[in-house]
Amino acid sequence: MIKKNNDYNICSLNSELVYQKAHDILTTIMEFRITEDKKGISCTIPCNSCYQPHIPKIVQAIEKEQPVLFVLPAFPGKSPNPQKVLGSLPDMAERYSLQFLNGLCQSIQKIYAPGARILICSDGRVFSNVIGMKDSDITAYQKEIDSIISRYQLTHISTFHLDQLYEGDNFENMRLELLETFGKPISVLKDKVSRGTEENASREDKEANRMYKGITRFLFEDSIHPEQIKSRAGIQKDAKKRAYRVIQLSNAWSELIASEFPEYVRLSIHPQTCGDIKLGIKLSTENSITPWHGVALNRNGRIVFMKRFEAEKLNARLIYDENGRPDYYEL
């Protein structure tokens, strides 16, 4: 009886230590989280509701003495709007974000020796045809992201994209196969978006409505530039229509990721509500926009992201990289 009791106590103690370690790891990530703040009400760290969806996967990794695995759908490709970005290839903005994410994993390694890994699931190929990005640009962007990871020895970061899952180079067939396997009808999505406006809507329906509004805004912004000849009303109407297709494809990609990487803690570049199955995180210490929707500005050693036209309004100096490509702005 004494031996069993002691074994039980040791087991309980180990479980408590493992849970505390998992809690510390998650706190390191959540320092940079982004949440959906409604009417000025937002949860704060620590928040048990926000921790619980992710703790079990981290505990499982610790018990196996393996790296904690995170998956992040991100780095799709540069915005097609020349007023927002410097070109179609990654630049300092992407490098800075990738180094930030790698540094986040290194911070985790300081408190948990096996460390952490972040798998970036590039989703540009998934919806490039809907948002006006060329597949050739997506290919070049993906290759340069991998080159940055290798060149700067970002050993905690790896990538995954649609091309690795399906054979051949017929990207439209890849997207159709993705939808056939993991997609849902747009009519179902429209119903969810509509229900999401109701006061007593479910978490899922509210998220669908929030995502629809956000994607519509991005599609509208990406279409506003000097070369555009449509009216603003026409652009807005088109953005609303395309937003449903983007979300349909994005949701299918999300389902594929969940199926392919069930043991990974799911991250998102989008704000998430309290207790969501995904954890919204920033891609740098302070920036509110993603690197593919803007440029990097070096202001006295402090890197911030902004849209290209905003940097130009500040009369910032454009800096080129070693290959003669526009890279970032400097003040």
Side-chain angles (χ1 to χ4, degrees), residues 96 286 297-304:
Y96 187 80
E286 57 185 277
L297 173 72
N298 185 341
R299 192 190 307 234
N300 297 321
R302 175 170 161 256
I303 305 298
V304 296

Side-chain angles (χ1 to χ4, degrees), residues 10 200 254 327:
I10 291 172
N200 297 321
S254 183
D327 197 27

Side-chain angles (χ1 to χ4, degrees), residues 2 5 12 17 41-42 75 79 98 127 150 156 164 170 181 209 233 237 240 270-271 289 312 323-324:
I2 295 177
N5 190 45
S12 297
L17 290 174
I41 301 174
S42 179
F75 296 88
S79 163
L98 289 169
F127 43 66
S150 175
H156 300 273
Q164 296 169 244
N170 190 321
T181 307
N209 183 268
K237 182 178 179 180
K240 288 181 177 180
H270 303 292
I289 68 171
E312 291 176 344
N323 298 311

